[in-house]
Amino acid sequence: MFAYTIRRLVQMIPLLFAASVVIFALLALQPGDPLDELRQNNPNLTAEQLEQLRKAYGLDQPIYVRYFKWLGRALQGDLGQSRSYGVKAAEFVFGERLPRTLLLSGLAFAVALLIAIPVGIFSAVRQYSTADYAITFMTFIGFSTPVFFLGIILLYLFTVVVPERTGLPALPTGLPSLFWSDVTTGSISFFGFIGTWASHLILPVMTLALIQMASWTRYMRASLLEVLNQDFIRTARAKGLAERKVLYKHALRNALIPIVTLVGLAVPGVLGGAIITENIFSYPGMGRTIFESLLAKDYNVAMAALAMLAVLTALFNLIADLLYAVVDPRIRYS
Amino acid sequence: MKYLSKLATVWIVGAGLAFAGPQDNTLVVGASQEPTVLGGDFLSIISNQSIKAEVENYLLVPMIGIDADSKNFPIMVTELPTLANRRLRSVDIGGGKRRLEMDLTLRSDLKWSDGTPITTDDIAFFNEVGNAKGMPVLNPDVWERRKLIVKDKLNFTVTFEPAFYTDTIGAPIGYAPAHVMRPEWQKVLAQTQNLDAKRDAARLSEIYRSFFQAFGSNRAINQGKMVWSGPFRVTRWAAGSTIELTRNPNFWITPPGGADKYVQRVTYRIIQNTNSLLVAILGGGVDATSRVSITLDQARSPQLTSRAPGRYDIWSVPGAVWEHIDVNKFTNVERVKELGLDDKRTRQALLHALDRDSWVKAFFEGFEPVSHTWVAPVNPLFNDKVRRYEYNPDKAKALLAEMGWRPGPDGILQRTVGGKTVRFEIEFVTTSGNAIRERTQQLFAEQWKRIGVAVKINNAPSAVVFDAKYLNRAVEGTWTGMTMFAWVSSLAELGNLFKYKDLNTGATFIPTAENNFTGQNIGGWRNDEYDRLAAQAVVEFDPEKRAELFARMQVIWAEELPALPLRFRADPLITKKGLVNYLGATYSGGNNYPNWLPWAIGWTARGAQKLFDQAKYATAISTK
Amino acid sequence: MAIAAPKSSASADTAFGLFWRRFRKHRLAVASLVFIGLLILMAVFAPFIAPYSPTAQPTGEDLASKYFQGPSREHWLGTDDLGRDVLSRIIYGARVSLLVGFMAAISGVLLGTILGTLAGYFSGRPFRFYLGPLNRREGGWQPPLFVAWRVASWVLFYGLLLGAAQLVWTLGGDDIRAGLGGDWSFANVLSLVASSLAWAAIAWAAVWGLRGSFRLDLDIAISRVIDFMLTIPELPLLLVLSALLRDPGASVGQWIQGVFGESTSVFIIISILVIFGWTGSARLVRGAILSLREQEFTTAAQALGASEARVMFRHLVPNTIAPIIVNVTLGVGGAIVTEAALSFLGFGIQPPVATWGNMLTNAQEYIFSAPWLALAPGFMIFLTVLAFNYLGDGLRDALDPRSRL
């Protein structure tokens, strides 16, 4: 197992190298360049002036030279400057945007799993019951509802309709206008700080979790049903074990195996942020960072974010594989 | 219980709802964009977003502003330079070219927010930084033509050579806080002294950007690194959420009745998604909208108009963004020749087939007017008396028949060109995801079908369409028919969109391999008379004579019809009742900024005096 | 479920008969099958069913009154933002949506299942993938298929090498040709070093290819390809492809257009969905197979002399059917919605062609002025996904080898 892990880690190096080359090339080949806007807005620019600007933006060099320059600096921990913000790309992505996504998407992911897994189990145990049909129905409504509609409807409901009808305060959205220094200077208590953040997160977390719950419920249900049909469960029942014990001691453990893998594989996606939810609820996380940096042709930021996602994807793939071997003793890695 | 009530208070303050508006003499503005930097980036090297310019209207006023009537007005100078007061002089330097000299005097009571006087030293600093070697300024042509001569602490002269009439619009030059930024700038100079403008362009640009960032980034602003000259200064900028501005006591202009009668704090709430922004307005959390906010469609939504009576005024402010369809006229492109797109009759027929009046009525309730040329109706250069193309399918058919087109078996026109039978199927490109354009496109496609013209829609995301390798290469046939998009125009109209050649500078505007595919005349239209008139007009400093020249250019344009003019966009402006002097007009502040007179924005309930009437500059959207 | 089926007649005992008898018991599955059948019929016979043309717009001056109508006798589901009949657009929209949804989900999962099975089953048993033409290590008789693969692998290897050489030439040829020319700038030196290294590597590979040999574990190969696919960001890739399709210089667009003609757009969309869609199911199946191949019944089947292919596809794959079916079900809905997003990126379906996906996306614009526009396409997608789910349930119960006792 240890040797396997090491081998996989070593295999990751060429993989990540290849991924970084491809991502860099994709960004360099994006339609349009940072000068398009200037070219369109200022027709008085001469070809010579444009050439000078191309040089200033470092666009005059061939792609591979730019790549090696980027790689050389990246290995020293310098991911360059953000074109739109002027700040260091690494600081912007890892220091500002990533923690926010960890908070929002991570929370939503946890909520979704905490609800979906018990519901999926219930649905499987009561297969073909009315409750199961109702759950199936609900999950597919959740699955077919575009995030956009759900988000806007919840937003409209809790910030306009409910306050208008009941006089309750509107649920806040977006980032709170608070700094940590507000706590240290005493203008707000620590719990006030946490409470404010929590209140701002209610709607986006609810939206994201509702949407994700649907597929997790389906996977959990299918996985458990699969196990419940297997011989060893029948044997356990034939032995006269109590149904509870069969379920929780034998079936569930096995049914969770594929779920663990799926969760492992889903984590990088979670860290990639949720662009639509972030957009509706004015929450600048990773999803919006990647999208907006592409639009603004802020390639150092896009590269930092995408490279980070590539590393995380590779890492969590490995973790999923290893977990699989840990939870399923039948699998051997040599 | 005590804790709970505290929490509730925090919650409400966080949402910015409870104390907005006249109650505490503040203003909450809803914007759909956030500036990435403010203040320190005074040459707009890092960012030239319009939201940055808008917020900076509160913070760093221009020397000369542009009012709602598109006229210059002095903010920092004692009087405007005019030909009459001899502060403005236009000198003939031969070859049809002119030099412009402007004498300006700063007011003696100008102060930065830290109390330091604002002097010509700040202007000289601005000039020095902009002229530094390898500085990637956005408008190098202006920097090449402009010279600054400082006479003393308050008097200076700016010259332009060669000069264009556009040099007299707004402030001729900017300024920056030398006492704050110069020490850092000296370090930059030391760092860059051995670098070469050409060879080390990328390195230079990076050093410069770091310099601007050190006074413009969110962190720098919150640390108080920047000083301000406007009626407001930044007190808190929570990135991604709000920007809070409070009154600057050192500002030199006092609005009628005293500054305390006017808004004391302005908070920008940033909500990128315009639907979410609309919801925030519906919820009452926004007092007024920014220049960049919801769409006109959203402003007309029943949810808003039904809640508006007694609460909001909803305005449609005419804009200067021109939606049109450009047509490929490059005769070397095979498809252009086959369809005869280089012949004005084809283009005229295509326009006669469109019912643009019904279109703007159905889509925009008429708030966005049909355009007949590229010049906005509110522009002083606008000419109303040009050829108009009414909806007339029969005339369209007749024009096409003249060109040899006959209905084919499938109802689509066809004709024989060089022994080959050609079906009238024209490619039609626009930016996908832009709902109004895609909807318009389908309506037009249907109307063209009725005269026997088939349309092949080929849309792509705006990044792809606006890629210079696509849009600017019609000559290579990247797009072979029509492309629908918009140009943003301003008061500084030079006619460049349709010039072949600038006879003053020699620059060409049709993108071809010769000029490295630069220029805005992307469809490739050439009219020498138009070019000649344009060359005269841009160096004509008499407004009436200039308007006359532009009027003739528009007549030629409308007759030849190089592009199909569609409409001018309008921008919504929503203000709570009782808010005054927050006023949008097409060119106010240069670009329809509602805060072009930031010190006079106030609530009537708090004693603010109304100085202007919005109804003069915009149309009210009816509320019910 | 474990009750043995009564033997009514000999013919009923064929595999299909057995399957059908068991499937029939699942009433919702049968209903779903009928529903999907009807949907397909609706799509095929759309011109006969739809009351209007899906693209017909009203005429006249007062267009606004004909836009955004609610349900009426003339228009059962109302009209859209251009006054077109929503019902007719739903009926016609089924054509692209069902085609894209079914094809993309099924082919993606099929491809993923095959590759995942191969990877899982052959994990730890590397194949000799490449043996240079001058390498004589394996003498004697060899199966024709193997010989064919050997020859094909030489062609492939040297073809790829040629491609790489061409790439290096276009990217860095100038530097080699020009030399340093006295310019010692960092970029110039670096590009010279980089292209020299690239040429050295190509030369080395060309020599190695003659005598070298290479064993490869299928599992490692497929898994690393999956890892690689997962690390490639989709949006930037799609934008680059979109621009490439429009570049007359690259002529990719014309080539695809020439091969696929009218159905180009649908083909491109399905391909993109499959390329990005197979990895999930491949990983899932690979994991399941890794576990199943160690179980007793696999060993038993192998001991009884079943061929590898038979063990894989008759014994192992049916045991992984549950997650596969969930994958297909969720995939159909996903593909129908993603189609609209891909079309926005400039691939494929252009307006005014109706699809459920673009109807739903378009409805977003009118969420405040005409929110009901989202209902019809949303409901159709919901029903289709639900029907696929029940169909999957029925299929699983009917196919599950364990209930065949």
Side-chain angles (χ1 to χ4, degrees):
Chain A
M1 192 74 178
F2 181 71
Y4 175 79
T5 313
I6 296 296
R7 205 171 68 227
R8 281 289 302 272
L9 281 172
V10 172
Q11 282 175 4
M12 252 168 74
I13 295 170
L15 171 79
L16 289 176
F17 178 74
S20 74
V21 170
V22 172
I23 296 172
F24 194 91
L26 283 179
L27 292 179
L29 294 172
Q30 284 297 295
D33 66 40
L35 297 175
D36 279 349
E37 200 193 320
L38 284 178
R39 217 179 263 129
Q40 272 152 23
N41 291 342
N42 188 354
N44 298 324
L45 283 180
T46 61
E48 201 178 314
Q49 288 162 343
L50 268 172
E51 193 47 41
Q52 178 64 21
L53 283 169
R54 276 174 64 78
K55 280 195 175 140
Y57 284 89
L59 296 170
D60 57 328
Q61 295 162 348
I63 294 178
Y64 66 100
V65 174
R66 273 143 68 190
Y67 172 75
F68 282 115
K69 276 190 170 177
W70 176 85
L71 188 67
R73 293 168 83 167
L75 291 175
Q76 297 164 39
D78 176 10
L79 293 174
Q81 226 180 25
S82 156
R83 216 178 69 78
S84 342
Y85 290 84
V87 294
K88 287 205 163 58
E91 195 183 302
F92 179 68
V93 174
F94 306 126
E96 192 180 315
R97 300 298 172 99
L98 185 62
R100 284 191 205 143
T101 286
L102 282 175
L103 188 62
L104 170 61
S105 300
L107 213 56
F109 191 59
V111 170
L113 283 182
L114 282 177
I115 297 176
I117 288 182
V119 171
I121 294 172
F122 180 80
S123 194
V125 173
R126 302 275 171 86
Q127 194 192 7
Y128 301 140
S129 69
T130 317
D132 177 33
Y133 283 123
I135 290 169
T136 303
F137 201 73
M138 292 302 288
T139 53
F140 279 94
I141 289 186
F143 185 74
S144 312
T145 309
V147 191
F148 174 83
F149 286 98
L150 184 67
I152 289 285
I153 288 167
L154 289 179
L155 185 69
Y156 186 56
L157 210 62
F158 287 105
T159 64
V160 177
V161 178
V162 171
E164 273 180 1
R165 300 277 160 82
T166 62
L168 287 171
L171 272 182
T173 56
L175 297 173
S177 178
L178 276 181
F179 295 143
W180 180 244
S181 62
D182 294 327
V183 180
T184 52
T185 57
S187 57
I188 187 170
S189 75
F190 176 71
F191 291 105
F193 185 80
I194 300 289
T196 310
W197 265 97
S199 67
H200 280 253
L201 284 170
I202 293 174
L203 281 177
V205 166
M206 190 153 70
T207 308
L208 261 184
L210 277 175
I211 293 290
Q212 291 176 4
M213 248 151 53
S215 41
W216 288 111
T217 310
R218 293 315 293 167
Y219 278 119
M220 187 63 229
R221 178 181 180 275
S223 180
L224 185 56
L225 278 179
E226 182 67 19
V227 173
L228 285 176
N229 276 337
Q230 291 198 5
D231 299 343
F232 72 91
I233 295 294
R234 224 167 277 142
T235 318
R237 279 187 184 137
K239 271 199 317 196
L241 273 183
E243 190 59 30
R244 277 185 83 77
K245 210 163 179 190
V246 173
L247 188 63
Y248 292 112
K249 189 121 190 253
H250 297 273
L252 206 52
R253 267 197 61 174
N254 283 292
L256 281 172
I257 293 170
I259 302 295
V260 166
T261 326
L262 284 171
V263 168
L265 294 178
V267 168
V270 170
L271 297 179
I275 175 165
I276 299 172
T277 313
E278 287 174 9
N279 187 264
I280 290 174
F281 296 103
S282 313
Y283 191 95
M286 287 300 288
R288 257 175 57 184
T289 304
I290 293 171
F291 185 73
E292 285 164 10
S293 60
L294 276 177
L295 278 192
K297 312 197 187 305
D298 190 353
Y299 294 139
N300 280 335
V301 167
M303 194 63 206
L306 293 172
M308 178 207 75
L309 280 186
V311 171
L312 288 176
T313 310
L315 210 59
F316 275 93
N317 263 331
L318 175 59
I319 292 174
D321 277 353
L322 295 179
L323 271 181
Y324 211 78
V326 171
V327 290
D328 188 347
R330 283 181 305 242
I331 292 179
R332 294 170 317 201
Y333 287 120
S334 49
Chain B
M1 273 320 270
K2 202 180 148 210
Y3 166 70
L4 266 182
S5 67
K6 209 170 175 182
L7 192 66
T9 320
V10 166
W11 184 329
I12 293 163
V13 171
L17 299 178
F19 308 117
Q23 288 88 334
D24 61 345
N25 212 2
T26 63
L27 173 70
V28 178
V29 180
S32 65
Q33 268 183 30
E34 180 179 19
T36 58
V37 283
L38 279 174
D41 179 29
F42 57 82
L43 295 174
S44 295
I45 300 280
I46 298 177
S47 153
N48 59 341
Q49 307 150 285
S50 108
I51 184 70
K52 172 172 175 256
E54 176 179 328
V55 176
E56 285 178 353
N57 273 347
Y58 292 103
L59 303 168
L60 295 161
V61 287
M63 280 184 229
I64 295 172
I66 297 173
D67 67 14
D69 295 307
S70 318
K71 298 274 190 303
N72 286 352
F73 72 103
I75 299 178
M76 298 173 71
V77 293
T78 49
E79 59 178 339
L80 292 178
T82 60
L83 293 168
N85 66 15
R86 296 285 300 143
R87 278 176 176 269
L88 181 70
R89 294 177 300 275
S90 141
V91 188
D92 197 333
I93 52 170
K97 294 179 181 172
R98 299 196 147 260
R99 181 173 68 232
L100 201 65
E101 299 171 0
M102 272 187 235
D103 295 337
L104 293 148
T105 306
L106 290 177
R107 286 168 63 142
S108 54
D109 55 353
L110 307 180
K111 278 194 192 84
W112 291 102
S113 55
D114 62 359
T116 314
I118 301 174
T119 65
T120 48
D121 192 34
D122 297 310
I123 302 168
F125 178 62
F126 175 91
N127 197 49
E128 180 192 339
V129 175
N131 278 318
K133 69 179 167 204
M135 180 63 71
V137 287
L138 300 176
N139 41 0
D141 53 308
V142 174
W143 285 90
E144 279 168 18
R145 296 188 291 113
R146 182 171 60 195
K147 293 277 170 304
L148 170 73
I149 303 149
V150 174
K151 295 200 183 111
D152 55 40
K153 283 278 166 209
L154 298 179
N155 289 291
F156 63 102
T157 301
V158 181
T159 66
F160 291 91
E161 181 179 331
F164 304 121
Y165 87 92
T166 50
D167 296 328
T168 62
I169 298 172
I173 195 166
Y175 61 101
H179 68 291
V180 173
M181 294 179 81
R182 187 165 267 147
E184 195 65 30
W185 178 247
Q186 299 295 356
K187 288 185 210 156
V188 170
L189 288 180
Q191 242 182 314
T192 56
Q193 62 176 344
N194 293 323
L195 296 177
D196 179 74
K198 284 228 154 44
R199 205 186 56 225
D200 306 309
R203 179 85 193 105
L204 276 173
S205 138
E206 196 165 313
I207 295 172
Y208 293 148
R209 291 162 62 87
S210 299
F211 164 69
F212 296 122
Q213 188 262 114
F215 295 92
S217 73
N218 172 271
R219 183 184 296 171
I221 302 285
N222 280 327
Q223 285 169 348
K225 290 249 178 84
M226 191 62 191
V227 290
W228 311 102
S229 65
F232 290 84
R233 56 204 164 90
V234 185
T235 35
R236 161 175 298 225
W237 176 9
S241 167
T242 53
I243 307 172
E244 200 178 276
L245 318 173
T246 46
R247 203 92 190 174
N248 170 13
N250 280 319
F251 187 65
W252 54 88
I253 300 175
T254 312
D260 56 337
K261 300 252 185 303
Y262 295 82
V263 161
Q264 296 299 304
R265 193 176 73 225
V266 176
T267 307
Y268 267 79
R269 275 187 76 187
I270 292 132
I271 302 175
Q272 262 90 355
N273 184 294
T274 55
N275 277 311
S276 307
L277 181 51
L278 175 62
V279 173
I281 297 169
L282 297 177
V286 169
D287 297 323
T289 54
S290 146
R291 165 78 176 79
V292 278
S293 65
I294 61 174
T295 65
L296 193 67
D297 259 2
Q298 288 166 331
R300 284 162 42 216
S301 68
Q303 284 82 356
L304 183 59
T305 52
S306 66
R307 283 176 175 85
R311 288 172 75 195
Y312 289 113
D313 289 315
I314 310 175
W315 301 97
S316 162
V317 186
V321 178
W322 180 54
E323 290 280 350
H324 69 294
I325 298 173
D326 210 328
V327 182
N328 189 334
K329 299 168 289 283
F330 288 99
T331 46
N332 64 306
V333 177
E334 195 191 345
R335 196 75 193 144
V336 171
K337 263 298 178 208
E338 287 174 354
L339 297 181
L341 297 178
D342 53 325
D343 190 314
K344 72 174 176 187
R345 287 172 297 174
T346 313
R347 305 190 293 264
Q348 288 170 340
L350 286 172
L351 195 53
H352 269 306
L354 297 183
D355 187 359
R356 292 177 297 162
D357 290 317
S358 302
W359 164 59
V360 293
K361 218 164 73 196
F363 279 39
F364 316 109
E365 285 179 62
F367 286 114
E368 306 201 338
V370 168
S371 71
H372 303 287
T373 70
W374 82 100
V375 182
V378 278
N379 194 303
L381 302 172
F382 175 69
N383 179 10
D384 195 32
K385 292 175 190 63
V386 296
R387 177 163 173 189
R388 294 186 173 198
Y389 296 83
E390 78 288 354
Y391 175 54
N392 191 340
D394 295 328
K395 208 163 169 182
K397 280 185 205 158
L399 276 166
L400 290 175
E402 215 177 284
M403 307 261 310
W405 293 100
R406 303 276 173 270
D410 56 352
I412 301 303
L413 297 172
Q414 55 183 41
R415 70 169 182 176
T416 312
V417 184
K420 188 173 146 199
T421 303
V422 179
R423 198 167 165 267
F424 204 130
E425 188 184 52
I426 184 167
E427 185 189 30
F428 191 0
V429 177
T430 194
T431 50
S432 57
N434 182 319
I436 294 180
R437 284 199 195 127
E438 285 193 308
R439 195 176 163 209
T440 302
Q441 182 186 43
Q442 294 179 67
L443 178 75
F444 288 176
E446 183 81 0
Q447 295 185 345
W448 278 321
K449 209 166 118 196
R450 288 179 198 145
I451 62 157
V453 170
V455 170
K456 186 169 187 288
I457 292 177
N458 185 16
N459 297 343
S462 55
V464 176
V465 173
F466 293 139
D467 183 354
K469 288 192 215 61
Y470 184 82
L471 193 65
N472 284 25
R473 304 242 177 156
V475 67
E476 293 179 349
T478 46
W479 52 281
T480 58
M482 305 183 288
T483 299
M484 172 161 55
F485 65 103
W487 288 117
V488 182
S489 69
S490 68
L491 274 176
E493 175 59 58
L494 293 166
N496 284 340
L497 291 185
F498 296 97
K499 266 181 204 163
Y500 158 63
K501 190 171 191 172
D502 188 320
L503 299 173
N504 296 317
T505 64
T508 53
F509 291 87
I510 296 182
T512 55
E514 284 87 69
N515 65 2
N516 207 5
F517 301 99
T518 52
Q520 294 181 333
N521 190 352
I522 59 159
W525 181 65
R526 179 172 175 174
N527 185 295
D528 294 339
E529 174 70 2
Y530 175 96
D531 283 359
R532 205 178 50 74
L533 291 168
Q536 280 176 25
V538 295
V539 293
E540 179 55 70
F541 291 89
D542 181 328
E544 273 169 37
K545 286 185 193 154
R546 181 164 68 231
E548 167 55 28
L549 291 165
F550 263 96
R552 278 159 64 195
M553 284 157 68
Q554 288 168 73
V555 169
I556 296 172
W557 190 94
E559 177 57 37
E560 296 291 323
L561 210 65
L564 310 183
L566 299 180
R567 66 180 163 113
F568 279 96
R569 279 198 219 154
D571 298 299
L573 178 70
I574 296 162
T575 51
K576 268 200 184 145
K577 298 264 183 208
L579 183 67
V580 293
N581 307 329
Y582 188 85
L583 176 119
T586 312
Y587 299 114
S588 58
N591 184 20
N592 191 359
Y593 295 120
N595 61 344
W596 55 277
L597 206 64
W599 53 88
I601 296 169
W603 300 97
T604 44
R606 306 289 300 206
Q609 278 179 40
K610 185 173 176 175
L611 304 174
F612 304 94
D613 189 7
Q614 179 71 72
K616 195 178 151 199
Y617 304 99
T619 325
I621 292 175
S622 69
T623 55
K624 59 219 166 234
Chain C
M1 226 168 282
I3 301 163
K7 292 197 172 181
S8 51
S9 69
S11 69
D13 259 328
T14 61
F16 182 76
L18 185 69
F19 162 78
W20 180 243
R21 267 207 327 279
R22 293 215 233 146
F23 183 77
R24 235 175 20 198
K25 275 192 243 156
H26 203 300
R27 272 184 313 187
L28 267 173
V30 176
S32 298
L33 188 67
V34 172
F35 177 74
I36 292 171
L38 286 176
L39 276 185
I40 294 172
L41 285 179
M42 179 180 94
V44 172
F45 295 105
F48 303 100
I49 304 169
Y52 301 92
S53 152
T55 56
Q57 294 178 26
T59 52
E61 281 191 7
D62 185 17
L63 294 170
S65 68
K66 290 160 191 155
Y67 293 169
F68 302 115
Q69 287 176 10
S72 67
R73 257 211 164 122
E74 290 78 39
H75 302 285
W76 290 4
L77 295 177
T79 62
D80 71 357
D81 58 341
L82 283 165
R84 299 172 296 200
D85 182 50
V86 172
L87 178 63
S88 304
R89 287 182 75 74
I90 287 281
I91 292 172
Y92 272 91
R95 292 181 153 193
V96 170
S97 290
L98 293 184
L99 187 68
V100 168
F102 292 2
M103 291 292 289
I106 293 172
S107 4
V109 171
L110 205 65
L111 183 67
T113 304
I114 293 172
L115 291 176
T117 307
L118 290 174
Y121 189 75
F122 290 113
S123 180
R125 286 166 53 193
F127 287 115
R128 186 178 300 287
F129 257 68
Y130 184 81
L131 191 63
L134 300 182
N135 190 319
R136 300 190 183 281
R137 197 175 306 163
E138 315 231 335
W141 183 87
Q142 296 192 337
L145 201 66
F146 184 77
V147 173
W149 166 249
R150 258 188 91 177
V151 174
S153 71
W154 300 337
V155 175
L156 193 70
F157 181 81
Y158 280 98
L160 283 177
L161 208 59
L162 209 64
Q166 207 171 8
L167 190 71
V168 174
W169 180 255
T170 21
L171 282 180
D174 284 342
D175 305 299
I176 294 284
R177 285 191 291 270
L180 273 174
D183 183 355
W184 285 91
S185 70
F186 175 68
N188 209 4
V189 173
L190 186 77
S191 64
L192 191 70
V193 169
S195 39
S196 312
L197 283 178
W199 283 117
I202 286 170
W204 179 81
V207 175
W208 179 89
L210 294 176
R211 306 197 51 133
S213 83
F214 180 54
R215 293 175 82 88
L216 183 65
D217 189 328
L218 252 187
D219 184 29
I220 293 182
I222 294 176
S223 296
R224 292 303 82 79
V225 169
I226 295 177
D227 288 351
F228 183 68
M229 294 285 305
L230 290 175
T231 54
I232 300 305
E234 298 175 20
L235 184 67
L237 175 62
L238 292 174
L239 277 169
V240 170
L241 287 180
S242 177
L244 199 64
L245 284 175
R246 278 172 176 70
D247 182 355
S251 71
V252 186
Q254 282 94 323
W255 182 77
I256 298 178
Q257 192 88 40
V259 176
F260 294 97
E262 282 293 296
S263 48
T264 305
S265 45
V266 174
F267 168 79
I268 291 179
I269 282 193
I270 293 176
S271 312
I272 292 172
L273 288 169
V274 170
I275 289 169
F276 282 108
W278 66 274
T279 52
S281 44
R283 285 209 56 121
L284 213 63
V285 171
R286 171 185 168 271
I289 299 276
L290 268 181
S291 160
L292 288 169
R293 70 166 187 176
E294 305 295 337
Q295 292 191 13
E296 296 82 2
F297 72 88
T298 315
T299 329
Q302 280 163 342
L304 286 173
S307 73
E308 310 251 48
R310 194 178 162 82
V311 173
M312 273 190 280
F313 293 104
R314 286 303 293 268
H315 297 270
L316 297 180
V317 170
N319 277 294
T320 63
I321 203 83
I324 294 179
I325 283 174
V326 177
N327 245 328
V328 174
T329 327
L330 300 182
V332 170
I336 292 177
V337 176
T338 315
E339 172 271 308
L342 287 176
S343 295
F344 270 119
L345 286 176
F347 297 100
I349 325 295
Q350 294 281 3
V353 174
T355 73
W356 296 347
N358 70 26
M359 291 174 76
L360 193 62
T361 317
N362 197 34
Q364 285 187 10
E365 289 298 322
Y366 308 106
I367 186 161
F368 286 107
S369 49
W372 67 86
L373 279 180
L375 286 181
F379 193 64
M380 290 311 290
I381 294 172
F382 166 68
L383 281 184
T384 310
V385 175
L386 197 65
F388 246 80
N389 169 65
Y390 288 128
L391 186 66
D393 273 358
L395 280 178
R396 187 195 51 217
D397 290 351
L399 285 175
D400 193 340
R402 279 184 300 272
S403 46
R404 197 184 256 189
L405 291 171

